[in-house]
Amino acid sequence: MHKSERLFQLVNLLKGRRLAVTARSLAAHFSVSERTIYRDIQDLQSSGVPIEGEAGIGYVIADYPLPPMMFSYDELTALLLGSKMVSAWTDPELSAHAKSAIAKIEAVLPAHLKQQHEHSPYLVSSFKHGPQQQSFSAKLRAAIETQRCVTLDYKDALQQHSQRVIEPLGLVYWGGKWTLIAFCQLRSDYREFRLDRITAINKNELTYAVSPDKNLNHYVELVKAKYAEEIAQHQGQAPDKSGQ
């Protein structure tokens, strides 16, 4: 483990303890010598971290805000990958914030982590998410946040056009496409609308309220129950190959 990462984890570990932790316990935790822990404690104290205690008794830390950046390589990979997905697959505003976050992360990466990041095996493509879908995503996100209905012009898989007044509840990315989960006022039920099949979105003055049986989590639970039932039925119809 790189020293800078160990120092960060040492602060984090001490912050989570009410009782003093001995240098021996810390050395065992980080697989280093007690002398290394003593040097780390001195370095942290010199940098202003309020660590109290002494050798042979143990150390504690007062309430202290953690520094803004020091992650392991795997943690950074997860953060950067997620930020790149947001940058490529959401609306322009969120994309700009994600790019800003990526720039801040990359600006403070230690040299050894920066080199590893430059050789990351992950690539996030945005070729399926054009300006129109990004614009629709922004309008729908705003409508969801303010709980305002919208009127959708929609084209289904059979190229049939319809217009619906819907209560947008959430946006779900299934891999390759975004889907709007909404409560359709015409059908009085949940409906799914693919963003790439929406042809227009118009605001209206209607508002709506979520409830225990009308919200995104409720929809997800219904979907889970549906698939669990289908799996159970499929398993129950599976032929018995045991010979009995």
Side-chain angles (χ1 to χ4, degrees), residues 13-22 52 57-61:
L13 190 152
L14 292 176
K15 276 177 61 67
R17 301 295 183 90
R18 293 184 177 180
L19 302 177
V21 185
T22 64
E52 301 174 355
I57 297 178
Y59 300 93
V60 294
I61 189 169

Side-chain angles (χ1 to χ4, degrees), residues 169-172 181 190 210 214-221:
L169 299 174
L171 293 161
V172 179
I181 308 303
Y190 292 117
V210 296
K214 188 178 69 175
N215 62 70
L216 184 60
N217 289 334
H218 180 248
Y219 162 83
V220 171
E221 292 304 316

Side-chain angles (χ1 to χ4, degrees), residues 6-14 26 30 40-41 44:
R6 186 178 66 250
L7 291 176
F8 177 81
Q9 292 194 19
L10 180 57
V11 172
N12 200 34
L13 190 152
L14 292 176
L26 294 170
F30 291 106
D40 288 349
I41 294 292
L44 288 169

Side-chain angles (χ1 to χ4, degrees), residues 76-90 95 98-99 101-102 106 117-118 120-126:
L76 282 168
T77 297
L79 286 171
L80 288 168
L81 181 61
S83 296
K84 288 178 180 179
M85 289 178 175
V86 172
S87 174
W89 298 342
T90 60
S95 177
K99 289 175 181 176
I102 291 171
E106 292 179 339
H117 170 60
E118 289 173 352
S120 172
Y122 295 103
L123 173 67
V124 178
S125 172
S126 61

